[in-house]
Amino acid sequence: MPTNPIHALLETVPFAVVDGALATELERHGCDLNDSLWSARVLAEQPELITRVHRDYFEAGADITITASYQATFEGFMARGMSEAQAGALIARSVSLACEARDAFWADYAGPTRPRPLVAASVGPYGAYLADGSEYRGGYAIDEEALMAFHRPRIKALVEAGADLLACETLPSLVEAKALVRVLAEFPEAQAWVTFSARDGHHISEGTPIAECATWLDQQPQVVAMGVNCTALEHIESLLTDLRAHTCTPLLVYPNSGEVYDPITKTWRAAEAGECGHHESAFTTLVPLWRQAGASLIGGCCRTGPDDVRAIAALRDASTA
């Protein structure tokens, strides 16, 4: 088994900082992501903006950046008229852009001692390709073998592109996690984290208790971290508690900002009374609780940005001092 990049990172920091939302920042830079390819479209049209966002997160203190391949699939690109080779090249580009940003940042870095950041290649769920919100429901109309066939070509492209590890993220079901881990076994040099979207404080999106997911993933040697992403802030602490009770594998969380998504209008709104609202102190308030519940890798998902990552990094650095 190759060196575990997560274990190596966590030997040097009290906890590791994962970056924030890619799409949110691309929109802030003027990208129109109202498209079934979402941020993957920018790989072809404005790759320099992806590099810029990765660099912004490194500057904010991220120890890990996640590539722009969440919604980048062979099927999605080829449906737009690209050849298989062109699709594969764009998927590989997601890794090269992140690595170029990391290496340029590291060459310029002259701040306090910190580990060289990692690049995690995003493997989004089948539901992200469908672009119908089913990554938050599960219950796909295909079985585990078909999910393996869907994920295999992209995983092969991302592994060959040289990412430090894979980020199998926003998974709504344990069946999809099992399919991904079975594909990973075909690439013994590859290691991955697995994170689920969750419906409440104890169950992933399609209803499986997260404790059951932890028990199964704990037996998979290529899974180097597990946890939750793209989930409401108020559910994170109890989800972590359930996970920690069933695994010693490093735990990872990168929740949404606290704003609420309306799938009808496809817009975000501020949280109302009783909902967990977003403000810069949200992470500074909650990160210590997540740490106590077992998290050792912490970042942000939808609607978070460099300021949130900077706040998390400040907590990491204060723990180091």
Side-chain angles (χ1 to χ4, degrees):
M1 178 69 69
T3 301
N4 183 324
I6 296 298
H7 283 174
L9 175 60
L10 293 177
E11 287 175 353
T12 64
V13 291
F15 68 92
V17 179
V18 182
D19 67 5
L22 178 67
T24 300
E25 285 302 290
L26 289 173
E27 288 177 328
R28 192 172 67 83
H29 287 302
C31 293
D32 179 7
L33 302 183
N34 186 19
D35 188 283
S36 62
L37 291 178
W38 201 35
S39 55
R41 191 177 86 178
V42 188
L43 284 169
E45 297 178 356
Q46 294 175 286
E48 70 283 355
L49 287 183
I50 293 174
T51 304
R52 178 176 175 180
V53 172
H54 286 309
R55 177 68 182 246
D56 287 346
Y57 279 123
F58 289 132
E59 297 282 359
D63 297 305
I64 306 173
T65 197
I66 302 172
T67 65
S69 49
Y70 177 83
Q71 213 144 338
T73 64
F74 280 87
E75 290 84 350
F77 285 138
M78 292 169 71
R80 295 296 182 87
M82 297 181 192
S83 68
E84 183 175 355
Q86 289 171 323
L90 279 180
I91 292 168
R93 178 184 285 180
S94 71
V95 176
S96 64
L97 293 174
C99 289
E100 288 165 11
R102 186 265 313 277
D103 295 345
F105 164 77
W106 196 239
D108 295 340
Y109 182 70
T113 301
R114 62 184 283 190
R116 181 174 180 263
L118 300 176
V119 170
S122 177
V123 180
Y126 178 68
Y129 157 68
L130 297 177
D132 63 356
S134 56
E135 64 264 50
Y136 307 109
R137 299 190 306 269
Y140 303 140
I142 62 174
D143 62 13
E144 187 173 330
E145 294 294 331
L147 285 168
M148 290 178 66
F150 170 78
H151 284 297
R152 184 178 289 109
R154 176 170 52 170
I155 286 178
K156 181 176 187 293
L158 293 170
V159 169
E160 291 177 350
D164 295 303
L165 72 160
L166 301 177
C168 300
E169 54 182 352
T170 326
L171 305 182
S173 71
L174 182 55
V175 169
E176 187 159 25
K178 289 180 176 181
L180 284 161
V181 171
R182 287 177 65 191
V183 174
L184 274 179
E186 301 170 14
F187 304 91
E189 73 278 23
Q191 299 179 73
W193 77 49
V194 174
T195 54
F196 298 93
S197 62
R199 62 161 60 169
D200 57 34
H202 300 283
H203 302 86
I204 64 172
S205 289
E206 52 81 54
T208 302
I210 200 163
E212 181 180 332
C213 301
T215 298
W216 189 84
L217 289 172
D218 189 61
Q219 305 302 312
Q220 312 309 316
Q222 288 175 271
V223 176
V224 295
M226 68 177 78
V228 181
N229 76 294
C230 209
T231 293
L233 292 169
E234 61 264 31
H235 300 322
I236 299 302
E237 187 176 3
S238 58
L239 289 163
L240 282 168
T241 299
D242 287 358
L243 285 163
R244 179 48 75 221
H246 294 85
T247 184
C248 292
T249 301
L251 298 184
L252 165 73
V253 290
Y254 46 113
N256 294 336
S257 69
E259 294 179 54
V260 179
Y261 185 68
D262 184 333
I264 304 300
T265 63
K266 298 187 184 301
T267 58
W268 294 84
R269 61 173 175 81
E272 298 174 355
E275 296 175 315
C276 200
H278 173 253
H279 44 83
E280 189 173 331
S281 66
F283 282 103
T284 57
T285 300
L286 295 171
V287 165
L289 299 177
W290 300 339
R291 292 277 295 123
Q292 291 173 16
S296 52
L297 301 102
I298 300 172
C301 202
C302 296
R303 306 293 283 180
T304 63
D307 286 345
D308 298 295
V309 169
R310 194 171 288 108
I312 300 169
L315 293 171
R316 175 202 60 202
D317 296 343
S319 299
T320 305

